[in-house]
Amino acid sequence: MTVFSAQSFAHHDEVTFVHDARTGLKAIIAIHDTTLGPALGGCRMWPYESDGQALDDVLRLSRGMTYKAAMAGLNFGGGKSVVIGDSRADKSEALLRRFGRFVDTFQGRYIVAEDVGMSVGDMDIVRQETPYVAGVGGGAGDPSPATAWGVYHGIRAAVRHRFQRHDLSGVTVAVQGLGHVGGHLCAHLANDGANLIVADIDDEAIASVREEFGAAVVSCDGIYECDAEVFAPCALGAVLNDQTIPRLQARVVAGSANNQLAEARHGKALADIGVLYAPDYVINAGGLIHVSYEVAYRGGHFDHDVAMAHVARLHDRLLDLFTRAEAEAIPTNTMADRIAWERLEQVRAARGRRGEGYGRSMALTP
Ligand code: NAD
């Protein structure tokens, strides 16, 4: 297994491993960048086939969090953690508490929240061992409704930019994946009068959306070329690739899935055929924005409405991004990376020294 020479090991501040034989915990915490503030990012529990795969995932995800927070205008850095194991079979109170002790050793430089394989209830247990945890019960909780709210506003922005339409009435949206985010998204879209075409591998999820919103159903493969203005990937990564892009009928791609582009060059491939792509880490930042309010106002009152109003501003952030990308004739994913990087560089320049990390006054106290 390679660490420092791994391709995904790109300017990470710190990567720490823990193996605890008594509880069975095997975990990695990766802090990518703390220029803007303490690293905030979820913990993913997954039965990785190898340690190398787990390392690669945590490095890639933590780097993504730096860009996501920077683009969302948050004062948080990028970090992420992974626990190696099957969340249905290997999770125990002892393991979660031991993981909490691990998080606590960072003394607030890393703040954990839930991600795939972790729940609000799990974060409540982690909270017993460290105050550096967000997304707990009574706080922000499940991030999915906020993520869906942001994606909905992102779709509105994209439709406005591409079709000069100020509402979604009569606009057809093809939603791939009807899980935590996709389900909420369908409700917002239907509420606005959009027509829905949906696909999922889960028949129950399909039945409920068809019944509730009168959605048309297509096969998981057919969703790419169905007759829709918007394609909203809300299931898997790498769905925009050499095979799928030529099949797309939609002129807008805007959805919640992480890492939608198989490779960065696919952002250009979309732009070349006139498809407006809402960069994934910009449009799906709603959950992060929402949970950041719990952290920023810890000890105080968590105001869900204020947090959701911030999430809705993703509409304007994306409109601005689309306009700048068009003016400079560059793909939207390239523009997003540039805006995020510029913000990081400006803050570093203000401190006079590269990579110094966030100011002392911003360190979180329990
Ligand atoms: P989820 O697991 O609840 O839902 C995913 C859905 O996709 C499930 O219903 C599943 O059956 C379906 N699916 C799986 N394979 C499919 C296929 N081949 N075709 C069609 N459907 C398929 O996950 P979620 O929390 O709704 O997240 C969806 C995506 O958004 C993921 O990529 C996730 O990483 C990303 N995301 C989620 C959040 C959040 O707040 N939950 C935040 C940011 C990004």
Side-chain angles (χ1 to χ4, degrees):
M1 181 175 77
T2 53
V3 179
F4 300 114
S5 56
Q7 215 190 354
S8 42
F9 196 91
H11 310 294
H12 279 74
D13 270 9
E14 191 175 343
V15 182
T16 309
F17 301 74
V18 70
H19 181 202
D20 182 68
R22 278 199 302 179
T23 58
L25 177 71
K26 269 192 190 174
I28 312 173
I29 292 179
I31 296 179
H32 176 255
D33 188 285
T34 57
T35 302
L36 297 174
L40 173 60
C43 174
R44 179 169 289 192
M45 185 164 185
W46 195 255
Y48 293 100
E49 276 167 23
S50 68
D51 299 350
Q53 227 183 50
L55 177 65
D56 203 52
D57 208 27
V58 77
L59 292 176
R60 206 172 40 81
L61 291 166
S62 60
R63 180 178 180 276
M65 294 307 289
T66 299
Y67 280 76
K68 189 185 274 204
M71 267 307 284
L74 302 176
N75 292 312
F76 285 99
K80 202 92 182 182
S81 51
V82 294
V83 171
I84 301 170
D86 182 340
S87 62
R88 281 162 304 185
D90 303 331
K91 213 190 280 173
S92 65
E93 181 185 348
L95 179 138
L96 290 168
R97 280 183 179 264
R98 182 65 186 85
F99 177 70
R101 300 299 309 159
F102 183 33
V103 171
D104 201 61
T105 60
F106 291 84
Q107 286 298 298
R109 241 167 77 73
Y110 171 64
I111 300 155
V112 68
E114 62 172 276
D115 197 278
V116 178
M118 288 285 179
S119 67
V120 174
D122 295 336
M123 289 303 118
D124 285 335
I125 296 175
V126 172
R127 175 88 165 153
Q128 300 308 312
E129 302 294 335
T130 180
Y132 303 112
V133 52
V136 291
D142 175 11
S144 310
T147 303
W149 185 235
V151 173
Y152 158 68
H153 285 285
I155 290 176
R156 284 184 48 240
V159 164
R160 182 168 165 184
H161 187 83
R162 169 56 79 240
F163 305 118
Q164 289 76 49
R165 296 213 30 183
H166 290 260
D167 63 54
L168 297 179
S169 169
V171 171
T172 301
V173 184
V175 182
Q176 179 187 48
L178 306 169
H180 290 93
V181 179
H184 288 290
L185 176 64
C186 284
H188 294 309
L189 295 171
N191 200 33
D192 256 12
N195 305 315
L196 297 176
I197 301 177
V198 299
D200 198 298
I201 50 170
D202 178 350
D203 291 340
E204 259 180 52
I206 289 204
S208 100
V209 171
R210 181 165 45 192
E211 225 169 83
E212 219 176 322
F213 310 117
V217 178
V218 292
S219 69
C220 287
D221 187 55
I223 193 86
Y224 297 104
E225 52 199 5
C226 66
D227 188 10
E229 277 92 16
V230 180
F231 172 50
C234 298
L236 313 162
V239 292
L240 302 169
N241 53 48
D242 291 334
Q243 284 70 47
T244 58
I245 290 173
R247 297 172 63 199
L248 287 177
Q249 302 301 309
R251 294 300 92 179
V252 164
V253 174
S256 74
N258 278 313
N259 304 315
Q260 290 170 33
L261 302 172
E263 295 170 44
R265 68 181 171 85
H266 291 115
K268 181 168 184 313
L270 287 167
D272 286 348
I273 60 166
V275 173
L276 180 65
Y277 169 61
D280 45 17
Y281 70 80
V282 186
I283 192 170
N284 74 15
L288 178 67
I289 294 170
H290 190 249
V291 84
S292 78
Y293 275 75
E294 181 187 318
V295 181
Y297 300 105
R298 60 180 36 230
H301 173 60
F302 170 68
D303 195 327
H304 169 78
D305 294 342
V306 172
M308 290 301 253
H310 186 157
V311 173
R313 295 207 291 276
L314 283 173
H315 174 274
D316 295 353
R317 175 135 306 235
L318 279 159
L319 260 192
D320 176 59
L321 189 155
F322 296 147
T323 308
R324 287 179 63 179
E326 193 170 77
E328 297 194 32
I330 60 172
T332 50
N333 58 313
T334 310
M335 192 73 231
D337 289 353
R338 187 185 293 180
I339 295 172
W341 187 250
E342 277 171 6
R343 182 166 177 232
L344 288 163
E345 284 295 290
Q346 280 164 9
V347 174
R348 284 174 187 140
R351 301 239 174 83
R353 202 146 49 92
R354 207 184 128 87
E356 194 181 15
Y358 56 94
R360 273 223 155 275
S361 61
M362 289 166 64
L364 284 176
T365 47

